[in-house]
Amino acid sequence: MNAPSGLQEYEEVLARTRYPKAALQRAFRTLMQRQFVFGNDFGSKDIYELLNDDEVRPFAERLFDVFGWRLQFNTSGNIKMVCLMPPIAEAPDTPRDKREAHQAQPLRVDEAIAILLLRAYYDKAIQSTGLVNGHADWHTDGLYDLWKEKTRKEPPGKVRMLDILRFLKNHGLIQASLPPTFHEGMPFTVRPSISLVAVSEPLAALKRYAREARPDADAGGTDQEKVEA
């Protein structure tokens, strides 16, 4: 898709589809910000349907392909989802110096740990048939307990943990109604998107972290360290 033909195709899509230009722009912005859009969510159902439109979907796939990204659609069963997969997820064996143009923002260590723990819990829920429409219900007490068990370190404080939960929610990895302040036992739902962003053996990764982490590293210092997404 070169610049002239790409612009021309965009105008043609606008002429053929029933969606206005502002709706397309909003849908593309939302997908780039969140990476995941769910068809059963009240706030994004319209965006999911727009991206699946017969006129919009082929154009969107070609548009993101220009940047090396791939749109992944799940439109059957209970899990209705559109995912924007980055190049680094498509080619994990790509040499580091070739990735820099597409490198995502680095995660803080505690964010990466939270994602691995969510994946571990989700995998366990699958094995125990604990999923409801592809989702796994959990709560912060369970997250705290698993954090201490698998990392051999204390979880972040309440303020930081609430920030992590907001981060996970904003990126479509959990569904939750988060209060202004943290309190014990807050419920949330782990979404199926977690299986697309976390490694397939999360507990092995956490064991390596626990083994390699310095015993004298304090929680404040850990929060400031960063790892690659």
Side-chain angles (χ1 to χ4, degrees), residues 7-220:
L7 182 58
Q8 181 180 357
E9 183 180 4
Y10 178 54
E11 296 295 339
E12 291 174 352
V13 168
L14 288 174
R16 294 193 303 265
T17 185
R18 60 190 174 91
Y19 294 100
K21 181 177 181 180
L24 264 70
Q25 293 174 337
R26 173 174 171 261
F28 292 153
R29 284 198 306 270
T30 301
L31 186 60
M32 289 188 291
Q33 291 167 355
R34 299 182 185 177
Q35 189 176 354
F36 298 97
V37 171
F38 294 90
N40 296 323
D41 282 12
F42 175 77
S44 61
K45 181 179 180 181
D46 58 334
I47 296 176
Y48 170 85
E49 292 176 349
L50 184 154
L51 292 170
N52 272 288
D53 179 79
D54 290 340
E55 299 292 345
V56 176
R57 177 171 173 171
F59 171 74
E61 290 174 330
R62 288 191 291 272
L63 173 65
F64 287 108
D65 182 64
V66 171
F67 306 101
W69 293 64
R70 179 173 65 87
L71 283 181
Q72 180 170 318
F73 291 82
N74 191 335
T75 58
S76 61
N78 295 321
I79 303 174
K80 298 185 183 302
M81 176 174 65
V82 180
C83 173
L84 185 60
M85 300 296 290
I88 198 170
E90 293 299 304
D93 56 340
T94 301
R96 186 181 302 274
D97 61 343
K98 302 298 183 183
R99 298 182 188 177
E100 295 304 316
H102 306 291
Q103 187 69 29
Q105 288 293 321
L107 294 173
R108 292 176 181 267
V109 169
D110 52 10
E111 293 167 348
I113 291 173
I115 290 173
L116 291 172
L117 291 172
L118 292 185
R119 174 64 191 267
Y121 179 78
Y122 190 81
D123 287 351
K124 183 178 179 181
I126 292 176
Q127 296 169 4
S128 63
T129 64
L131 298 183
V132 179
N133 293 331
H135 296 69
D137 293 332
W138 208 14
H139 50 76
T140 51
D141 289 354
L143 176 59
Y144 263 68
D145 291 342
L146 194 61
W147 194 301
K148 288 187 286 188
E149 176 189 347
K150 299 304 180 183
T151 68
R152 302 176 189 173
K153 299 184 70 175
E154 285 297 314
K158 294 181 179 180
V159 174
R160 176 58 187 155
M161 182 59 79
L162 189 58
D163 286 341
I164 294 173
L165 293 174
R166 291 193 184 107
F167 166 83
L168 297 171
K169 179 181 179 179
N170 291 340
H171 285 77
L173 301 180
I174 67 170
Q175 188 173 23
S177 178
L178 299 176
T181 57
F182 184 92
H183 59 78
E184 308 296 334
M186 287 195 303
F188 59 88
T189 300
V190 184
R191 314 197 76 157
S193 49
I194 192 65
S195 62
L196 297 176
V197 300
V199 295
S200 58
E201 296 182 353
L203 294 183
L206 286 166
K207 286 179 181 178
R208 289 194 298 271
Y209 168 77
R211 185 172 60 247
E212 297 168 3
R214 294 177 301 166
D216 59 343
D218 59 79

